[in-house]
Amino acid sequence: MPQLRFHGVTPARLAPVSRQLLDRLAEVTATARDDFTLECIASTFIFDGEEAPPFPFVEVLWFERGDAVRDACAAAITQALSDSGLNEVEVFFIALDKRSYYARGQHFADH
């Protein structure tokens, strides 16, 4: 946790920038690097009845950390993908409720 789901981004583009991205995200969130999950989701985009070029966007599932941290994370993700050659990317955050997230049978509200 946090989990980043990359759409329209290939593993070949993400892997070379993943180390610097994780370093920056860990720093701004005060979270261990190995607590992050980076997932490239293979997607087929459709427009007007035909396959369309992929549009890169990133879903970030996490426990809310406030505007400043969210802004810093969005900037880090955008910069990393820009460094990989993707000049336009969208990032959105989905805040999870600690009472609805479980690890080893215990919800995170107890942590």
Side-chain angles (χ1 to χ4, degrees), residues 31-50:
T31 302
R33 292 174 86 256
D34 61 355
D35 285 342
F36 287 86
T37 302
L38 306 181
E39 178 182 11
C40 290
I41 298 177
S43 302
T44 302
F45 293 76
I46 305 294
F47 183 76
D48 281 343
E50 297 181 3

Side-chain angles (χ1 to χ4, degrees), residues 55-97:
F55 181 81
F57 67 94
V58 183
E59 301 171 84
V60 180
L61 291 84
W62 73 344
F63 302 129
E64 183 56 53
R65 290 165 167 85
D67 292 343
V69 174
R70 190 178 333 103
D71 291 349
C73 287
I77 293 164
T78 301
Q79 183 62 55
L81 292 180
S82 177
D83 291 348
S84 80
L86 298 172
N87 295 322
E88 189 173 346
V89 63
E90 293 181 3
V91 180
F92 62 90
F93 294 80
I94 301 170
L96 302 174
D97 182 344

